[in-house]
Amino acid sequence: MIADKNDPWSFYWIRFTGDLIKQYMSRINISYQDPVFSINDTPIVPQKIVEIVNYSQDPHRSDFIYNAKLLEILDSLHNILPNVSSNQSSSSEVIYTKALYYIRNNYESTISINDVVDYLTVDRTYLYKLFKQNMNIGPKEYLTKYRLKKASELLKVSNESITFIAQSCGFPSYQRFARVFHKYIGYSPSEYQKKFL
């Protein structure tokens, strides 16, 4: 994944502690081993983080406001990335849901289905069966289509090069991206981009 040259990344840090934090975080599927998620699925999170940072400059700030904004963040993360108890972790529904979350949160990097099965510690054939049952396509095709969905969204609004957009959506090369895009969308990336810009 590459930062936009004209609008690069911004970094915001918030630190929170307390007796209930461990309990709260145990209900959210984020860990030191897998700390990354997409803000496309949780747009309230960056908004609330910016609000917290801005509010910290207020000399009359209240701990109640801090707590309220933090709980909104945690609630949003819990809704999109719910953790599951150990006695549920072997169920097919949980494995399928975790696979979807992993793909959606990591599609920008050059992950493969091998990375998904390694993360879930399941057999590749079993994962394929789950996707076919739920979507009638395999996980590899789902990953490709999800990347194309995100790429087509960028092509509609971004003036960045197609190579940049391809790499930002997990495609290793322009050639690979152009071939797959035309196969599924019916246009070349440049033709598609011209339709909207």
Side-chain angles (χ1 to χ4, degrees):
M1 187 176 178
I2 305 171
D4 189 299
K5 291 176 289 187
N6 300 317
D7 184 20
W9 295 322
S10 298
F11 293 89
Y12 293 88
W13 294 86
I14 59 172
R15 178 177 180 267
F16 49 94
T17 61
D19 296 336
L20 294 175
I21 290 303
K22 186 174 181 180
Q23 177 184 334
Y24 287 163
M25 293 307 297
S26 69
R27 296 162 58 185
I28 301 171
N29 191 27
I30 296 176
S31 66
Y32 289 115
Q33 294 76 28
D34 187 25
V36 179
F37 62 91
S38 173
I39 63 171
N40 293 329
D41 296 323
T42 55
I44 193 176
V45 172
Q47 173 192 331
K48 291 301 173 183
I49 290 177
V50 171
E51 287 180 11
I52 289 174
V53 172
N54 291 338
Y55 186 68
S56 69
Q57 310 303 314
D58 186 340
H60 306 293
R61 55 187 178 271
S62 164
D63 288 346
F64 290 118
I65 300 297
Y66 277 130
N67 291 337
K69 293 181 185 299
L70 175 60
L71 289 174
E72 286 187 80
I73 292 174
L74 296 179
D75 181 62
S76 178
L77 291 175
H78 177 256
N79 288 333
I80 193 66
L81 296 168
N83 208 348
V84 292
S85 61
S86 58
N87 63 346
Q88 293 177 307
S89 60
S90 60
S91 74
S92 59
E93 182 180 349
V94 169
I95 292 172
Y96 170 70
T97 302
K98 282 189 171 184
L100 291 181
Y101 287 150
Y102 185 85
I103 289 172
R104 292 171 184 174
N105 293 335
N106 295 280
Y107 74 92
E108 304 101 325
S109 59
T110 55
I111 62 166
S112 67
I113 299 306
N114 286 335
D115 295 307
V116 181
V117 298
D118 287 346
Y119 168 72
L120 297 170
T121 61
V122 297
D123 181 75
R124 185 180 178 122
T125 303
Y126 179 63
L127 184 65
Y128 179 84
K129 179 182 177 181
L130 293 180
F131 270 78
K132 288 292 286 185
Q133 288 175 343
N134 286 277
M135 287 192 170
N136 203 32
I137 59 173
K140 183 177 180 180
E141 186 174 0
Y142 175 78
L143 172 58
T144 298
K145 286 186 173 181
Y146 193 80
R147 283 172 167 158
L148 289 173
K149 175 179 178 288
K150 295 301 182 180
S152 63
E153 291 172 358
L154 287 175
L155 287 170
K156 290 179 182 179
V157 299
S158 175
N159 288 313
E160 290 292 346
S161 71
I162 293 174
T163 298
F164 177 89
I165 291 174
Q167 293 174 344
S168 297
C169 293
F171 290 94
S173 68
Y174 169 83
Q175 291 77 11
R176 164 74 176 164
F177 173 60
R179 184 169 63 253
V180 174
F181 193 91
H182 188 274
K183 175 183 175 181
Y184 283 93
I185 308 299
Y187 296 93
S188 70
S190 57
E191 290 171 339
Y192 188 85
Q193 190 177 47
K194 288 175 183 176
K195 287 164 61 71
F196 298 96
L197 298 179

